[in-house]
Amino acid sequence: MESKKMKQLYDLMTEHTRRLNHQIILISLIFITISIGWNIAAQRLNIPYPKAEVMLLAWMLVIWIMIFGVCFFQVFSPRLMALIVNMFMVKSICFLYFALNFHESWTYFLLIPIITSLYGRPVQQILFSLIGFILLFNLSSFYLHPHHQELVTTSDIYSRLLLYIIITSFSILLLRKMNQLYKEQATIQVVSLERMIDQIVKSFVLSVEGKDAYTRGHSERVSLYALEIGKVHHAFEEEDLKRLRLAALLHDIGKIQIPETILTSQKKLTSEEFAIMAKHPIEGSKMIGQMEELIHLNDGILYHHERWDGKGYPFHLKGEEIPLDGRIVAVVDAFDAMTSCRPYRSALGFDEAFERLRKGKGTQFDPAIIQLTEQVKEKWRRIYYDRLVRKKEEQPHEKTSGE
């Protein structure tokens, strides 16, 4: 779940960054356009208010057009684009400092820590906040605004820097809170998605088992056997185990497309009937392929009837050409099938079915997977006997219901 949460958080932050880039670019255009229009009008009408240097504002507009072009054509990733937008913001604030003819123009620097905090990236905020601090100090101390040079005192400079530090501190708190909210949102989305997938999978399993009474509980047992194999396999981590469990539950989903007359046949299938039955891995793959949330389960569904010696179906893959999930499900599916009753044969006992797995090593089954079954044999035995206990508990109930 942790990796899914991190991916979900990354996706949320990427989309947030992309939207924020667009919003900042749009707001800056509105500000530049209004500033240019206001100052042109003020100059022509001789309005007695502070006026900005229109040429500097015009240069800002030219830079904005270039930034907009890069953003519109998605030349860079949202994250890199955020750096470009922030650099544009810093450049614009420096322009404004010299372009505007009023004493408080330095306050635009206070926007730097506030805006960078909205991106939710600590390193980016610290970097640009530090750049803003250095620029504010240098421009206030060494490059005094030509229109109010005599009005700036040392006390003014210290007050500006102190206010900048205060604003930056609050911006950092804002960033931390926003990151916390995003992490909570990512967790909620991942948990909700996993619950939804579980519900979808259970619905499909009920649909499959509803068509054939002899397979009732088969998918659940196959998933339990598969999980025990996954737990001792070196290649499986938490997310892999979740995938394997769901793939094992859905391995027979394609049987929904198989006629009931074949699924419930009371005798061994004819060659024509078997050819139709053999299509169920492909049908299952097609079904989950239509759902993005389930497509990662494909290996355990499409390849669970392939054989190690290449004599399986549907693609006659051989050895390690068969994906690992398919090789595991092939073993556990065969084991549960052997220990289950069919209309045309009785169930095998646990030890006899286990011995048949050993005999299939290197021909029907992956030798490495069969080797792992030795490690989980006793755990499988508990799953097997739990099934027998449940079956005995259900029999009196079925008789009562029939009466």
Side-chain angles (χ1 to χ4, degrees), residues 162-272:
L162 178 60
L163 182 58
Y164 186 90
I165 292 171
I166 293 172
I167 295 294
T168 302
S169 300
F170 277 104
S171 299
I172 291 173
L173 292 176
L174 173 64
L175 180 147
R176 288 182 177 176
K177 184 64 177 176
M178 188 172 69
N179 280 342
Q180 181 184 348
L181 291 174
Y182 268 112
K183 287 179 181 178
E184 291 173 358
Q185 185 179 355
T187 302
I188 291 170
Q189 288 189 7
V190 169
V191 171
S192 299
L193 180 61
E194 289 182 346
R195 287 177 180 171
M196 182 189 73
I197 291 174
D198 267 346
Q199 291 301 316
I200 293 172
V201 169
K202 288 176 182 176
S203 298
F204 278 133
V205 170
L206 289 174
S207 298
V208 172
E209 296 184 351
K211 294 187 72 175
D212 183 4
Y214 283 94
T215 62
R216 188 177 301 165
H218 169 68
S219 297
E220 182 183 357
R221 293 190 300 274
V222 167
S223 72
L224 293 174
Y225 289 135
L227 266 180
E228 296 302 333
I229 293 290
K231 288 176 183 177
V232 296
H233 198 291
H234 66 87
F236 281 81
E237 298 181 356
E238 183 181 355
E239 291 301 317
D240 302 306
L241 290 174
K242 290 179 181 180
R243 184 194 66 245
L244 180 62
R245 169 183 165 269
L246 293 176
L249 278 170
L250 286 180
H251 73 283
D252 277 339
I253 185 178
K255 288 184 177 179
I256 292 177
Q257 305 294 339
I258 305 301
E260 286 190 39
T261 53
I262 295 178
L263 286 177
T264 59
S265 177
Q266 298 295 308
K267 56 185 179 180
K268 197 169 184 180
L269 299 180
T270 65
S271 57
E272 292 80 8

Side-chain angles (χ1 to χ4, degrees), residues 86-105:
N86 281 318
M87 286 189 286
F88 169 70
M89 174 188 63
V90 172
K91 185 84 170 177
S92 300
I93 287 172
C94 291
F95 271 135
L96 290 172
Y97 183 81
F98 287 102
L100 299 177
N101 290 330
F102 58 92
H103 183 65
E104 290 78 15
S105 58

Side-chain angles (χ1 to χ4, degrees), residues 37-51:
W38 165 258
N39 282 279
I40 290 174
Q43 288 179 5
R44 291 190 176 182
L45 299 175
N46 292 320
I47 298 176
Y49 289 102
K51 304 177 186 67

Side-chain angles (χ1 to χ4, degrees), residues 116-127:
T116 53
S117 70
L118 297 177
Y119 282 93
R121 302 186 186 279
V123 174
Q124 181 174 310
Q125 187 195 17
I126 292 172
L127 173 64

